[in-house]
Amino acid sequence: MSNVIASSSTNVRRYANHVDGAPLDASGSEPIARHDPASGRLVAQYADAGPDVVDAAVLAARRAFDDGPWPLLSGAERARLLRRFATVVDGERERLAALDSQEVGKPLRLARGDLEGVVAQIEFAASLAHTDHGSSWTQLDTGFVAYATHEPLGVAALIVPWNFPALILSQKLPYALAAGCTVVVKPSELTSSSALEIADLALAAGIPPGVVNVVTGYGPTTGQALIEHPGVDVVSFTGSTATGREVAAAAGRGLKRVGLELGGKAANVVFADADLDAAADAAVFAAFFNQGECCVSGSRLLIDVRIAEDFVATVVARAATLVTGAPDDEATDVGALIHERHLDKVLDHVAGATEAGAHLLIGGARLTGGGLADGAFMAPTIFGGVDAGSRLFREEVFGPVLAVATFDGADDAIRLTNATDYGLSNAVWTSDVGTALAVSEGMRSGTVWINTNIDGSPALAFGGMKASGIGREVGFEGLREFSSSKTVQLRRGDRALPFPRAATEEGR
Ligand code: NAD
């Protein structure tokens, strides 16, 4: 049953929560209004779920877990339903991409890529549901065998940010389902439409009611109530490091398993012997893809001091060719930022970088010309000569701002890469395999890209070190975040017990 309550002639989508396979409105609270950040137009309204709605959603997920059938289905059966889910989502890719593009402000052309990723994640998780198995030990002792199974953890709370609403959901949801968990999703209050639509598609694919529930609302109220609910067993959170600390504390109080995918400040290290043409393209892509609102944005370019001047000139020239504009224009490379306050925050970083003595090479300002006046558009921005101790070098900006610094030798490149609290991803470009391996070993991050950037596959685990988080998602490790192992031990024949049998019998 669709969560859309009404879509008026002005095309404003009005959604209820999705609980137990049906829409559930939030009583007594003002709906949350979402304005398209590129035009300022009202495009969607979501319910602001209070504790009663969160409770109803968790109880629905609890029933679907405790009474089944979801966790009791065979792996093959769960895989079959997940494959059907992937097919149904595949059929709706264009519509879902349009929703995410409109609510995030990202180019539709690139949102289509997100949705291809969503389908690939669900398909991969289906293969895990089918092939997952435990382990056995048969060599421990005569007459003694043991085996370990992986059991679903229970009800999973999935809390998702706004930058890749459908894609990040797909890095959690199908893995939780493949493991046999039931879920309550809390999407960002800025971009909730695609999660609600995807919950409808799960139902249409035959995944039973109550297995996938969605509550919409603000983080400190709806999100916090969800994490603190005693019916939730595991929390999987993606968002900022500041919020991640609060989520971890709340999950800790309830002794719940918690996975945290947090911020990043990736370095893109380019040595003089690299394929410089490819490296320059990738530097521009990694910095400005998704308006730089990307946890793995290559927001620091560390360039070999021997080639710095020419290479930086090439990167600046290529950045100058990027088209910033309306998300639904097929020519657009860079869309709008998520909202005005975020644009102000990014501009504050720009002002701070200038004060700290960095050199502005391109951009640095809001864009209002050419029909962009009503949106939160920002020019792709590059600073040279960025000091390694400065805010711009160390802090996540989450906008289209690239910080450039030089290094002299591999040790210096590693030192600069690690000079931030974050440790999510980094990249290195070189034609020397020894340099590539040495630098990747030294980089303190969950992912290292060699001669590529912002790349991947659903098979490859993703997550951070240091302030970038705890745990891994996607791939086989992503499945394990939602399961608990059980060791079963069996002995036959005589057992050598430390209490002598005679003494025990005499004592009777
Ligand atoms: P955010 O932390 O503000 O919000 C993320 C989600 O948490 C939202 O759904 C929000 O409503 C909810 N939330 C906020 N406060 C909460 C609370 N106290 N309790 C429970 N839930 C709460 O982050 P954002 O602004 O939506 O996203 C941007 C951040 O996400 C950036 O820092 C970015 O690096 C990070 N991010 C990380 C990854 C990754 O995989 N590591 C991926 C994408 C984004």
Side-chain angles (χ1 to χ4, degrees), residues 411-428:
D411 289 346
D412 198 32
I414 293 168
R415 179 185 67 79
L416 288 168
T417 297
N418 295 336
T420 170
D421 289 339
Y422 294 106
L424 189 59
S425 62
N426 290 297
V428 53

Side-chain angles (χ1 to χ4, degrees), residues 391-417:
R391 266 179 75 207
L392 187 64
F393 194 86
R394 287 167 182 262
E395 292 180 16
E396 183 180 54
V397 175
F398 224 58
V401 182
L402 175 62
V404 182
T406 57
F407 68 86
D408 191 1
D411 289 346
D412 198 32
I414 293 168
R415 179 185 67 79
L416 288 168
T417 297

Side-chain angles (χ1 to χ4, degrees), residues 300-365:
R300 292 182 297 160
L301 174 62
L302 304 185
I303 175 75
D304 195 323
V305 68
R306 292 171 291 170
I307 54 158
E309 206 175 318
D310 285 353
F311 188 81
V312 172
T314 307
V315 169
V316 170
R318 290 190 190 180
T321 68
L322 293 175
V323 177
T324 303
D328 59 358
D329 186 333
E330 296 290 330
T332 293
D333 299 307
V334 180
L337 299 191
I338 190 73
H339 51 55
E340 288 285 328
R341 274 174 293 114
H342 187 57
L343 175 61
D344 290 344
K345 198 181 127 198
V346 175
L347 290 172
D348 184 57
H349 273 283
V350 168
T354 309
E355 277 166 33
H359 319 302
L360 182 63
L361 302 175
I362 189 171

Side-chain angles (χ1 to χ4, degrees), residues 255-300:
L255 287 180
K256 295 172 187 183
R257 169 98 59 96
V258 63
L260 302 170
E261 298 290 338
L262 309 177
K265 188 74 191 180
N268 191 15
V269 174
V270 181
F271 282 86
D273 64 358
D275 174 345
L276 295 179
D277 203 38
D281 275 346
V284 172
F285 169 70
F288 302 118
F289 169 59
N290 214 53
Q291 301 74 241
E293 295 168 323
C294 192
C295 54
V296 291
S297 286
S299 55
R300 292 182 297 160

